[in-house]
Amino acid sequence: GALFPKCPFDRVVPPPMTNGYSPMYKMHKYWARKPWYLVDQYIQHFTREGEVLLDPFCGSGVTGLEAIALSRSAVLVDLNPIATFIAKVTATVDFAPYEIKRAFQKISAQCAEKIHALYWLDQTCSLCGGALETRHLLRGPKFKVPIVVAYCPYCGVKRSQIRRELTQKEQDFLAKIEAEPITAWYPPVPFPEKFDKDRITYKGIQYIHQIFTPRNLKALSWIREAIDEIADETIQHLLTLAFSNTLLHASILKAENVRPMAVNNYWVPDDWIEENVWYRFSERVRLVERGMKVAMGRIPKQQAERLKVYTHTATDLSMLEDNSIDYIFTDPPYGDSIQYSELSRIWNAWLKRDFPFHEEVIINPTQDKGHAEYETLLTQAFSEMYRALKPGRWLTLCFHNKSFKTWHA
């Protein structure tokens, strides 16, 4: 077939002066996300409208979402259930925006008051007399007595923020709350017996629920239960996305100056904090509202139907016919840099999804996968890509690693 185009991509793509599209890609944390404006330029260079793109290591779906926004079709494949969930939900543009607000109000009526009550403080605002509300507590082993950061919701954060140790009465209340049983569902899922980058099991953490305080676990289980009761599946999925993106920030992986999993492994700092779950969830819902407003402005409803998403291994693309793809833009796992199945375990557990890690294209000694196994799996994936790609068409590969052995593979 004729080459289209004849030349590779040879321009530097500067960031846009105003980045109004980025909220679409800030609705949920994910790794190695390529800038949308760069992917957009590659798609326009290598394809025409109506053509079909493939990304077999799609992550949270930037390639496919940019493709359908540009009137192309796209096939996205990833083994990670949370990745394909983010991609599918971002492309779900056939709903009325007020429906998210209405469903959130319903959850709020069910949960907000009882969650705030979990973080009760024995103090009122010195400015207006209103009840103070907890933003977060410093509870890690570094602190002999927990320190609360609170504010008055009536006067606002800046005017009325308070930072002090919990009183004895408040400590007794906290102990009572944490001794109560949790009746709503939460995932009874263990962490793997062996981790590639294990920094938690030596602290006695064996199960996913142990990275949350009992109080936050209770609050999260109530929100999850309320989301499950939403009848409209589209709206339920959007709020599940907001909930999933709440989890790490509501865990003991976070400190005031440490973002959870910023170093791409589970690490519990000694000065970990306990966030008020309701504040974090509310903020995440607003992120989803902003992101979906952008998505709905960019992706026409009929275009959303041109995106196919498969939770599947890239080593078997049998859902694609030979010579059916016009362009591939992909970003395979960088050797052992990011352990996707391990690091996504919390999200997938709360989503009740399973990651078949034995099929993961990765270097991970605890899965008995070294450079040779990684090369074998990559070869299978690239053979499948080659089979599906039309003759004379292009593949763009993004890759980064510090190891020459990984590059050789």
Side-chain angles (χ1 to χ4, degrees):
L3 281 170
F4 176 83
K6 288 189 169 61
C7 60
F9 193 91
D10 59 357
R11 290 181 291 111
V12 173
V13 181
M17 296 298 285
T18 55
N19 196 352
Y21 292 168
S22 63
M24 184 172 155
Y25 297 115
K26 289 183 176 174
M27 294 191 288
H28 198 289
K29 176 184 169 71
Y30 206 75
W31 300 273
R33 197 178 260 142
K34 295 290 164 281
W36 65 265
Y37 52 85
L38 190 147
V39 177
D40 167 288
Q41 292 296 302
Y42 272 74
I43 291 169
Q44 291 193 59
H45 180 79
F46 286 110
T47 65
R48 305 178 185 93
E49 284 190 15
E51 292 191 328
V52 187
L53 283 81
L54 166 67
D55 185 348
F57 296 100
C58 73
S60 55
V62 177
T63 304
L65 295 161
E66 288 305 309
I68 59 172
L70 290 165
S71 301
R72 277 75 168 163
S73 296
V75 179
L76 298 180
V77 180
D78 205 288
L79 197 57
N80 192 352
I82 186 64
T84 52
F85 182 75
I86 297 165
K88 281 179 192 169
V89 172
T90 309
T92 308
V93 292
D94 192 8
F95 69 95
Y98 72 85
E99 291 173 22
I100 301 182
K101 274 194 168 59
R102 194 163 66 181
F104 176 70
Q105 284 162 359
K106 192 176 172 187
I107 293 168
S108 183
Q110 208 171 320
C111 297
E113 204 171 305
K114 67 179 183 177
I115 290 175
H116 277 311
L118 292 176
Y119 306 94
W120 169 82
L121 293 173
D122 188 23
Q123 185 181 356
T124 53
C125 175
S126 59
L127 295 171
C128 73
L132 289 183
E133 291 189 347
T134 301
R135 284 313 281 265
H136 64 265
L137 286 98
L138 288 71
R139 287 190 63 185
K142 182 179 173 181
F143 310 103
K144 287 189 173 66
V145 177
I147 295 166
V148 65
V149 177
Y151 86 110
C152 172
Y154 313 102
C155 293
V157 179
K158 294 285 181 251
R159 285 183 67 202
S160 57
Q161 186 150 305
I162 284 157
R163 189 184 184 96
R164 62 163 175 79
E165 290 187 347
L166 285 190
T167 65
Q168 190 56 53
K169 192 175 178 182
E170 289 163 347
Q171 290 178 62
D172 294 343
F173 171 78
L174 172 56
K176 178 174 165 286
I177 285 287
E178 299 216 318
E180 292 168 359
I182 299 169
T183 52
W185 180 87
Y186 60 85
V189 177
F191 281 108
E193 277 183 43
K194 291 179 182 174
F195 265 103
D196 180 52
K197 295 181 172 74
D198 180 5
R199 294 176 73 177
I200 56 168
T201 55
Y202 74 93
K203 291 196 173 186
I205 296 171
Q206 294 175 309
Y207 286 83
I208 279 165
H209 67 260
Q210 290 176 299
I211 69 153
F212 305 100
T213 63
R215 173 161 62 179
N216 276 13
L217 189 63
K218 185 178 287 191
L220 289 166
S221 68
W222 285 342
I223 294 172
R224 175 74 226 218
E225 192 173 56
I227 292 171
D228 282 348
E229 288 170 15
I230 293 164
D232 185 318
E233 193 181 69
T234 296
I235 304 304
Q236 188 191 86
H237 285 171
L238 286 160
L239 288 165
T240 300
L241 191 71
F243 173 81
S244 178
N245 203 29
T246 303
L247 292 168
L248 295 183
H249 286 269
S251 75
I252 63 173
L253 302 175
K254 184 172 187 177
E256 285 187 313
N257 298 308
V258 175
R259 291 180 65 80
M261 289 210 290
V263 287
N264 290 338
N265 61 35
Y266 295 106
W267 174 58
V268 180
D270 286 340
D271 57 347
W272 59 261
I273 66 170
E274 176 189 45
E275 281 206 352
N276 180 320
V277 167
W278 187 255
Y279 282 122
R280 182 54 66 179
F281 176 63
S282 306
E283 185 258 348
R284 291 317 201 211
V285 172
R286 289 192 292 274
L287 269 187
V288 167
E289 285 180 313
R290 284 200 297 274
M292 290 312 296
K293 188 177 175 186
V294 172
M296 292 170 92
R298 296 191 66 207
I299 302 170
K301 287 173 191 174
Q302 67 274 17
Q303 272 300 114
E305 292 160 16
R306 297 175 71 176
L307 180 72
K308 290 189 170 71
V309 184
Y310 298 92
T311 309
H312 204 266
T313 173
T315 60
D316 172 16
L317 301 176
S318 50
M319 76 289 285
L320 299 176
E321 292 180 13
D322 295 3
N323 309 325
S324 60
I325 298 296
D326 296 292
Y327 175 52
I328 299 172
F329 185 105
T330 198
D331 190 18
Y334 304 159
D336 62 352
S337 301
I338 298 170
Q339 297 295 337
Y340 290 94
S341 63
E342 292 179 1
L343 296 177
S344 303
R345 201 170 180 90
I346 294 168
W347 296 323
N348 286 324
W350 281 93
L351 258 63
K352 301 181 183 176
R353 310 283 170 95
D354 191 38
F355 191 134
F357 63 86
H358 55 277
E359 295 180 329
E360 190 175 16
V361 179
I362 204 94
I363 294 172
N364 185 324
T366 64
Q367 292 182 26
D368 295 322
K369 289 176 187 166
H371 284 86
E373 289 77 14
Y374 174 63
E375 185 171 338
T376 300
L377 291 163
L378 265 188
T379 302
Q380 289 171 13
F382 277 97
S383 300
E384 281 291 83
M385 286 184 241
Y386 183 79
R387 179 187 61 77
L389 189 63
K390 289 177 182 174
R393 299 308 294 260
W394 293 79
L395 173 144
T396 298
L397 172 68
C398 306
F399 197 81
H400 174 72
N401 197 277
K402 293 175 184 172
S403 154
F404 283 111
K405 271 180 100 172
T406 307
W407 273 103
H408 181 74

